[in-house]
Amino acid sequence: MCWRRVRHSRPAGSPRSRPPPAGAGDADGGLEIVLGAEDSNFTVAEDRATIASLIRRLTPREREIVRLRFEEDLTQAEIGEIVGLSQMHVSRVLRTAVEKLRGVAEAGSVH
């Protein structure tokens, strides 16, 4: 069968092999703008996955102290009362944990 016959026998309204030219279609700029839009929910999900991977590198005690500080928004003194450490020790644990997380993230070995 000749390719010209196949091409001409396509039913009306069938999809085309290439997108319409820019500016065709919607008044807001066309399909290209919609398809090229960044999904902010994807970025949030990606960030959460990265953080979860990083957090697994911490010891259970470091994890709990980081969680209390950054999720519960507790002060170092409040965290110390909960975990049975001095405020100074909590400060050291937080500093060490954040440095560890930063090192892994900068090395690019997150997952």
Side-chain angles (χ1 to χ4, degrees), residues 7 11 14 21 30 32-33 35 45 55-56 59 62 67 69-70 76-77 85-88 91-93 103:
R7 188 174 62 140
S14 66
E32 296 82 15
I33 293 173
L35 292 177
I55 292 294
R56 285 193 296 269
T59 67
E62 289 171 332
R67 186 190 72 75
R69 178 66 190 103
F70 296 104
Q76 292 176 0
L85 299 173
S86 70
Q87 178 272 323
M88 183 66 73
S91 175
R92 284 189 213 115
V93 171

Side-chain angles (χ1 to χ4, degrees), residues 3-111:
W3 68 271
R4 287 183 185 170
R5 197 177 311 153
V6 171
R7 188 174 62 140
H8 292 298
S9 67
R10 228 180 24 202
S14 66
R16 296 175 186 233
S17 62
R18 58 191 163 113
D26 297 350
D28 64 354
L31 185 60
E32 296 82 15
I33 293 173
V34 175
L35 292 177
E38 187 174 316
D39 184 354
S40 63
N41 290 330
F42 181 76
T43 303
V44 170
E46 204 172 43
D47 290 346
R48 284 187 179 156
T50 300
I51 291 168
S53 179
L54 286 170
I55 292 294
R56 285 193 296 269
R57 309 289 178 110
L58 301 177
T59 67
R61 181 173 78 167
E62 289 171 332
R63 252 184 257 144
E64 179 63 5
I65 290 173
V66 166
R67 186 190 72 75
L68 291 169
R69 178 66 190 103
F70 296 104
E71 285 183 20
E72 302 296 327
D73 200 27
L74 299 179
T75 66
Q76 292 176 0
E78 292 169 329
I79 295 168
E81 289 177 22
I82 292 169
V83 298
L85 299 173
S86 70
Q87 178 272 323
M88 183 66 73
H89 198 117
V90 169
S91 175
R92 284 189 213 115
V93 171
L94 279 170
R95 184 177 62 248
T96 302
V98 169
E99 287 171 358
K100 187 185 295 187
L101 294 173
R102 183 178 292 125
V104 171
E106 288 175 352
S109 57
V110 174
H111 301 282

